[in-house]
Amino acid sequence: MEIKNICCIGAGYVGGPTMAVIAKKNPHLNITIVDINADRIAAWNHPDLSKLPIYEPGLADIVKDTRGENLFFSTDVDSAINNSEMIFISVNTPTKTYGKGKGMAADLKYVELCARNIAKVAKTDKIVVEKSTLPVRTAEAIKSILHNTGNGINFHILSNPEFLAEGTAVTDLLNPDRVLIGGESEEAIESLAKVYSSWVPENNILRTNLWSSELSKLTANAFLAQRVSSINAISELCESTGANVNEVARAIGMDSRIGSKFLNASVGFGGSCFQKDILNLVYIARSYSLNEVADYWEQVIIMNDHQKRRFSDRLIKTLYNTVSGKKIAMFGWAFKKDTNDTRESAAIYVADHLLNEQANISIYDPKVSEERILTDLNYLNTRTEAENRNGVSYTALPLDAVKDAHAIAIMTEWDEFKAYDWQDIYNQMQKPAFIFDGRNLLNKQKMDAIGFEYYSIGQ
Ligand SMILES: NC(=O)c1ccc[n+]([C@@H]2O[C@H](COP(=O)([O-])OP(=O)(O)OC[C@H]3O[C@@H](n4cnc5c(N)ncnc54)[C@H](O)[C@@H]3O)[C@@H](O)[C@H]2O)c1
Ligand SMILES: O=c1ccn([C@@H]2O[C@H](COP(=O)(O)OP(=O)(O)O[C@H]3O[C@H](CO)[C@@H](O)[C@H](O)[C@H]3O)[C@@H](O)[C@H]2O)c(=O)[nH]1
């Protein structure tokens, strides 16, 4: 099928950057990203590019070049579906918060709504691409919805999971390790492969069956998250034995079979994907009665929860077993650097633990707003909104956060934290001045020399 018009349903962290890069690399294609969230679409259309709803290095430049040329943002979902030969579904697939599978399974209601919408309004044959991360065999359900419209239209379903990481979305999209396309129709697979081949080398475009493609996405995230939990497990052992986790990570990472990436011990992984996708994998394994498989992967989450709890417990214990009424400065709220995304950020859980102990938390993050921080805390439902407001303050300048603080907790590895005048920060704080570096970002010798009581992960 010749592709001229593409529609992407879902203008989020995946839909926006992915389509912007496809548009940039395929000036001959017309791409419309649609969303039911009118505010989000308005933000994508905002003349001031600093107001785009998503912060990603390099994204604004690509949107500047393509928006209004061959990339469009709209709330008119039906027209965009109708006018396109290829439709990407890139909507959210969060963990279910109700009913069967609550807290474990992926909630597919948004995906199903998209499929029903496509079935309802399509008047010509379509290729429907699963871009969202989905449980293995979801394509079967989508196929069933689309093929039962009775209007004689042909639909081909492809699975094309996205592997970009936030903070590096644009470079990941421009230089993907691989593009994965799963499907049943060779013609449909090749139509999508052609879109990517504008910039991705042929050898990096993998074709598989539908189920392998769907399962590969969950598996990739499970393996990545497992590495973080593995090194974090070792970090606790390092703290008990005098070994240094950075040295251990370096030593094992030089083994080419292990590799050096993704071995940074931390306060725990966050982000919208790792936990959700592993819980989903565990749920699927249990649904096939594969209990050992399920238990094995669930341990990755258990370890991560332990690491977050361990961080706040250590902070409280070190501050003489109480943080009640003490000012704790938090540097960073995003789940990693170079993004404004805070979903499942370790900072949320650490702040929640500290608020339970009546700490006063002062938060600085270069890209996250006060409103977002309060929304994240309120979402936990641990205390009232007024109590959260009372326990937390937001500062637009890092120095305001540390003034008279008892301790600093580094939650995100923003580069700017390394460049601060730490002597000046020390001077502003109560003494002894503590740092709990949840990202092993700072130099211990330097911090010790200034006079800080410096604690990091696994050292
Ligand atoms: N965030 C990432 O880094 C990342 C990376 C790879 C894969 N994924 C996967 O991609 C999918 C999307 O993730 P995201 O982070 O972009 O989510 P997101 O929440 O940022 O964006 C999803 C968008 O879909 C819209 N939407 C929901 N239902 C809709 C409907 N029926 N019609 C039109 N719009 C609708 C929402 O309003 C929202 O703006 C998820 O399955 C996720 O697991 C995410
Ligand atoms: O050595 C490491 C590496 C990562 N992290 C943390 O792990 C989390 C996830 O980081 P990362 O994977 O870089 O970001 P995501 O945007 O969540 O990307 C993951 O999830 C996406 C959504 O599915 C996938 O597309 C990506 O391939 C996958 O890396 C963050 O909190 C990181 O700080 C560590 O603590 N130590």
Side-chain angles (χ1 to χ4, degrees), residues 163-164 166 217 221 262 264 266 269-270 273 335-336 439:
F163 295 100
L164 68 81
E166 288 180 29
K217 174 63 197 177
N221 273 354
F262 250 73
N264 295 322
S266 69
F269 61 73
C273 295
F335 81 96
K336 62 185 283 196
R439 296 295 183 162

Side-chain angles (χ1 to χ4, degrees), residues 200-216:
V200 179
E202 179 54 32
N203 282 345
N204 293 22
I205 304 179
L206 296 186
R207 285 96 165 154
T208 66
N209 78 29
L210 273 171
W211 321 126
S212 305
S213 174
E214 288 179 336
L215 187 56
S216 296

Side-chain angles (χ1 to χ4, degrees), residues 9-15 34-37 40 77 90-93 110 113-114 131-133 162 164 166 217 272-273 276-277 343:
I9 309 180
Y13 283 85
V14 169
V34 291
D35 204 296
I36 42 176
N37 182 336
R40 212 166 203 188
V77 181
S90 185
V91 299
N92 36 328
T93 49
Y110 307 107
L113 277 172
C114 290
K131 182 51 101 177
S132 296
T133 302
E162 184 48 60
L164 68 81
E166 288 180 29
K217 174 63 197 177
S272 63
C273 295
K276 153 177 97 68
D277 292 348
R343 290 177 286 183

